[in-house]
Amino acid sequence: MENSNSRGSVDEEIVMKTGKAAGIGLAAGSWKYVKYPQLIRTGKVCGHYAASFAVIGATYVGVEQALEKYRMKKDIFNGVAAGFATGAVMGFRVGSPQTAFLSGSAIALTSVLLDVTGMRTTDEEEKGHH
């Protein structure tokens, strides 16, 4: 019984973190109708970039959290897989398998470098000190 309760809370945590990552990206692209065509075009461009950042954030966080849950480990391999999946999704958006592979590899490498050098977000630093 205890396992099912903790499993439900972990699933909710993954959904919440993934949703936050997507929401942050989308928030940057939310524009209301304005009267000037230049601002409308700018809003569309920003919306496109915001959608891309939402996909990046949601894919990375979703894959990393899911792997952490199912592997029951928080290590460098979760970030590598999440980085590769994120890059591959972005690469496939342009329609090229080669670009998907190269983008995935680049983001996976970036994730490894960040993990190895110990760079952390503010939330991760606060959790580490408690």
Side-chain angles (χ1 to χ4, degrees), residues 59-103:
T59 303
Y60 188 89
V61 171
V63 170
E64 184 181 46
Q65 293 296 308
L67 285 174
E68 184 178 325
K69 175 192 171 201
Y70 290 114
R71 293 181 64 232
M72 294 187 190
K73 291 182 184 178
K74 184 174 184 170
D75 59 13
I76 195 169
F77 299 111
N78 297 343
V80 169
F84 187 82
T86 301
V89 166
M90 295 308 293
F92 278 123
R93 287 184 70 179
V94 294
S96 167
Q98 182 180 9
T99 303
F101 178 77
L102 293 174
S103 298

Side-chain angles (χ1 to χ4, degrees), residues 104-118:
S105 299
I107 296 178
L109 177 62
T110 302
S111 180
V112 167
L113 292 174
L114 291 173
D115 286 344
V116 168
T117 60

Side-chain angles (χ1 to χ4, degrees), residues 1-86:
M1 277 301 189
E2 286 182 32
N3 191 17
S4 66
N5 284 340
S6 65
R7 185 176 187 167
S9 65
V10 171
D11 289 339
E12 290 173 12
E13 184 178 348
I14 291 172
V15 170
M16 290 297 295
K17 287 183 178 181
T18 303
K20 276 171 131 179
I24 288 169
L26 283 174
S30 60
W31 288 76
K32 294 186 178 186
Y33 177 78
V34 291
K35 163 173 159 175
Y36 303 102
Q38 298 87 357
L39 290 178
I40 293 171
R41 281 191 297 253
T42 302
K44 287 180 181 179
V45 169
C46 289
H48 177 73
Y49 283 119
S52 294
F53 278 114
V55 168
I56 289 169
T59 303
Y60 188 89
V61 171
V63 170
E64 184 181 46
Q65 293 296 308
L67 285 174
E68 184 178 325
K69 175 192 171 201
Y70 290 114
R71 293 181 64 232
M72 294 187 190
K73 291 182 184 178
K74 184 174 184 170
D75 59 13
I76 195 169
F77 299 111
N78 297 343
V80 169
F84 187 82
T86 301

